[in-house]
């Protein structure tokens, strides 16, 4: 299992985590933004009018309203990435990562406009009378590239488990256990039953549920965010200054944060931006293909709002909560994760400028790095290290007040072997002060507002709503991919497996599936980006025809009035 996981990580290093991937993603966004004349700006106001149903026509084919399609797509994008993903991006890349998330969202508004329009245009009606669409249909029906459509559909099914299903319930279950002491299996069992009741009803029930959940969770999260931002209003200016000042040069060291190179800030911001709003991935077009509309461009207009709401609004709120509260650069007591733990040779303190510089080069892997990983022993008495010649790093920061604990609560005494920077004794738990990241960081930040410590409960509650709604939406994405590959007969078996996987992942290790999803996301994104670029001229002609017909209809209405 470990060998497979390592192979997938290696494969991902050449794909989604490779340096070229963000440039491809942003490059396509830049191209269409210029090619179509900044549609995310020109069509933004019109998009709001479309989503409210102002231009709806009776008798239009489809299963959902514009608003329900938007809600379903948003429920798929607004998830753990908006809570823990933003915190992880800031942790790895500093405040500048948020700037690149904005850029990804701004360009992604155009990318999503294109992919949704084309997917809606080539959707089909299935055996049961519902609509099915997505990039696999335009790849097949328009580009005659069935092989590419099959790759995309298979990757979508894998991603439905690795992105929308298992990690979501795993995060929910862990959060509920930490915050309220609920057994993960109990949480998984209850939510699996609710998930089954929703998705078995198909897109109609999914849309009905998501159209209610999304507004509720959005309002709750916005109110909670503002309670922190307004409480720390004097830090909003410095927060924006930190975001912009290091956007093109890397993030400067602040507090326990030892700084990040431009590459770290750029890559983490772009990758988290894609993970959050999914623009270019080709998932949201599957939801939008269900919308009642005869003009594909009108649904494309609606999708422009997604990256704006998901990233420019919700992710920005999360980022400002984290930055204005100051917790992102502060050390907090926590139990150290082995994956975030490194032990290096030499004694370093992050209050010394020379040491900070040396650690910066080590953590960011620059050519100037002179620090090596420690191999040797650590002498420990009553839980505290008494030997020298090494520095314990956790979560990219110098760990302080470190304690070694064995058998649950007993302080350890003895000698610990360190090989290439890693502690080999498995039954040792390490506790101390260090930076924290992901949802834990966001949770700490929400406790620094008007609500005090009660604010920390906003994160597990929001995580529950965000992650559960994501699982609902992704079940539909996988559902439509199954229909494309196997027909209607494959839908019910897929739904049963999806619910079963959801339950198991609440208490099981999902590392392998999560790693597999990294690769699957790229296998969705690259074919989709290739497809929309190949259909660039058709896209421009389709938009031009839409506005000609729209202007003609509006003229007729005015004449009749």
């Amino acid at each position: 299992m470990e060998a497979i996981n390592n192979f997938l990580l290696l494969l991902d290093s050449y794909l989604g985590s490779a340096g070229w991937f963000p440039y491809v993603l942003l490059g396509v966004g830049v191209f269409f933004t210029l090619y179509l004349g900044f549609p995310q700006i020109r069509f933004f106001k019109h998009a709001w009018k479309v989503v409210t149903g102002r231009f709806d026509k009776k008798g239009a084919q489809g299963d959902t309203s514009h608003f329900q399609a938007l809600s379903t797509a948003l429920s798929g994008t607004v998830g753990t990435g908006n809570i823990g993903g933003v915190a992880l991006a800031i942790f790895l890349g500093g405040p500048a990562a948020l700037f690149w998330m904005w850029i990804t969202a701004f360009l992604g508004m155009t990318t999503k406009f294109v992919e949704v329009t084309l997917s809606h245009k080539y959707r089909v009606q299935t055996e049961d009378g519902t609509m099915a669409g997505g990039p696999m249909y335009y790849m097949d029906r328009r580009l005659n590239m069935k092989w590419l459509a099959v790759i995309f559909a298979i990757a979508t099914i894998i991603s439905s488990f690795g992105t929308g299903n298992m990690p979501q319930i795993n995060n929910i279950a862990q959060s509920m256990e930490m915050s309220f002491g609920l057994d993960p299996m109990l949480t998984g069992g209850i939510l699996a039953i609710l998930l089954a009741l929703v998705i078995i009803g198909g897109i109609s029930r999914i849309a009905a549920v998501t159209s209610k959940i999304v507004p509720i969770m959005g309002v709750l999260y916005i109110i909670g965010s503002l309670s922190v931002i307004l409480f720390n209003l004097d830090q909003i200016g410095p927060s924006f200054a930190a975001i912009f000042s290091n956007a093109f040069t890397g993030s400067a060291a602040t507090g326990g944060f030892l700084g990040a190179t431009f590459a770290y800030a750029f890559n983490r911001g772009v990758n988290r931006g894609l993970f959050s709003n999914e623009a270019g991935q080709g998932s949201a077009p599957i939801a939008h293909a269900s919308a009642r509309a005869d003009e594909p461009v009108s649904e494309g207009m609606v999708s422009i709002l997604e990256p704006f709401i998901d990233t420019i609004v919700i992710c920005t709120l999360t980022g400002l909560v984290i930055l204005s509260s100051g917790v992102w650069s502060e050390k907090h007591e926590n139990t150290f994760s082995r994956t975030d733990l490194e032990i290096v040779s030499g004694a370093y303190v992050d209050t010394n400028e020379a040491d900070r510089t040396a650690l910066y080069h080590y953590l960011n892997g620059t050519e100037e790095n002179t620090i090596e990983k420690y191999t040797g022993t650590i002498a420990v008495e009553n839980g505290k290290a008494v030997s020298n010649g090494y520095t314990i790093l956790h979560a990219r920061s110098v760990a302080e007040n470190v304690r070694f604990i064995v058998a649950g609560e007993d302080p350890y005494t003895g000698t610990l072997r360190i090989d290439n920077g890693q502690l080999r004794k498995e039954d040792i738990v390490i506790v101390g002060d260090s930076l924290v990241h992901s949802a834990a960081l966001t949770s700490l930040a929400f406790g620094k507002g008007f609500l005090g410590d009660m604010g920390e409960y906003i994160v597990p509650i929001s995580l529950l709503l965000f992650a559960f709604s994501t699982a609902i939406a992704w079940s539909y994405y996988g559902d439509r991919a199954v229909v494309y590959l196997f027909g209607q007969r494959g839908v019910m078996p897929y739904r049963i497996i999806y619910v079963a996987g959801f339950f198991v992942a609440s208490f099981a290790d999902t590392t392998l599936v999560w790693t597999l999803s990294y690769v699957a996301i790229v296998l969705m994104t690259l074919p989709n980006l290739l497809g929309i670029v190949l259909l660039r001229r058709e896209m421009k002609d389709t938009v031009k025809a839409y506005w000609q017909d729209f202007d003609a209809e509006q003229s007729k209405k005015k004449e009749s009035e």
Side-chain angles (χ1 to χ4, degrees), residues 281-361:
Q281 186 176 339
S283 51
I286 300 173
H288 285 284
S290 68
R292 287 189 292 271
D294 293 329
E295 306 90 350
V297 174
S298 68
E299 191 57 29
M301 298 282 185
V302 173
S303 70
I304 286 176
L305 304 176
E306 274 175 47
F308 176 80
I309 296 171
D310 174 274
T311 306
I312 297 179
V313 175
I314 297 180
C315 287
T316 298
L317 287 173
T318 303
L320 290 179
V321 166
I322 292 169
L323 294 176
S324 66
S325 65
V327 297
W328 70 282
S329 61
E330 298 173 350
K331 296 177 184 179
H332 305 270
E333 184 175 88
N334 64 102
T335 300
F336 291 179
S337 165
R338 292 295 182 98
T339 57
D340 285 336
L341 180 69
E342 294 180 274
I343 303 175
V344 298
S345 297
Y348 299 92
V349 291
D350 52 20
T351 54
N352 179 283
E353 188 61 32
D355 288 355
R356 290 179 69 87
T357 300
L359 290 167
Y360 167 89
H361 291 305

Side-chain angles (χ1 to χ4, degrees), residues 161-232:
F161 287 94
T163 299
N165 182 320
M166 294 182 169
Q168 304 296 336
I169 183 58
N170 197 262
N171 282 328
I172 292 173
Q174 289 180 8
S175 179
M176 291 296 106
E177 183 179 29
M178 289 177 61
S179 300
F180 305 108
L182 295 178
D183 184 276
M185 190 174 292
L186 176 62
T187 301
I190 294 173
L191 292 182
I193 293 172
L194 293 176
L195 178 67
L197 293 174
V198 173
I199 70 175
I200 288 175
I203 185 58
S204 297
R205 190 176 299 170
I206 289 172
V209 172
T210 57
S211 64
K212 292 178 175 61
I213 290 180
V214 169
I216 292 173
M217 70 187 194
V219 170
L220 172 67
Y221 197 71
I222 289 171
I223 291 174
S225 299
L226 292 177
S227 73
V228 179
I229 292 170
L230 294 177
F231 184 83
N232 300 288

Side-chain angles (χ1 to χ4, degrees), residues 455-473:
E456 294 187 22
Y457 290 108
I458 292 173
V459 170
I461 294 172
S462 297
L463 193 63
L464 170 64
L465 295 173
F466 284 20
F468 184 66
S469 66
T470 296
I472 293 173

Side-chain angles (χ1 to χ4, degrees), residues 433-498:
D433 298 339
S434 73
L435 295 182
V436 296
H437 60 79
S438 301
L441 176 58
T442 308
S443 182
L444 286 169
F446 270 94
K448 303 295 183 179
F450 287 114
L451 299 178
D453 292 340
M454 290 295 293
E456 294 187 22
Y457 290 108
I458 292 173
V459 170
I461 294 172
S462 297
L463 193 63
L464 170 64
L465 295 173
F466 284 20
F468 184 66
S469 66
T470 296
I472 293 173
W474 270 93
S475 73
Y476 180 67
Y477 299 161
D479 178 308
R480 297 297 89 178
V482 167
V483 168
Y484 174 78
L485 292 171
F486 309 110
Q488 200 63 36
R489 68 181 183 277
V491 171
M492 191 54 68
Y494 166 78
R495 290 174 179 170
I496 292 172
I497 296 172
Y498 191 86

Side-chain angles (χ1 to χ4, degrees), residues 149-159 481 485 520:
V150 170
I151 290 175
F152 179 88
I154 292 173
T156 300
I157 294 171
I158 294 172
S159 289
L485 292 171

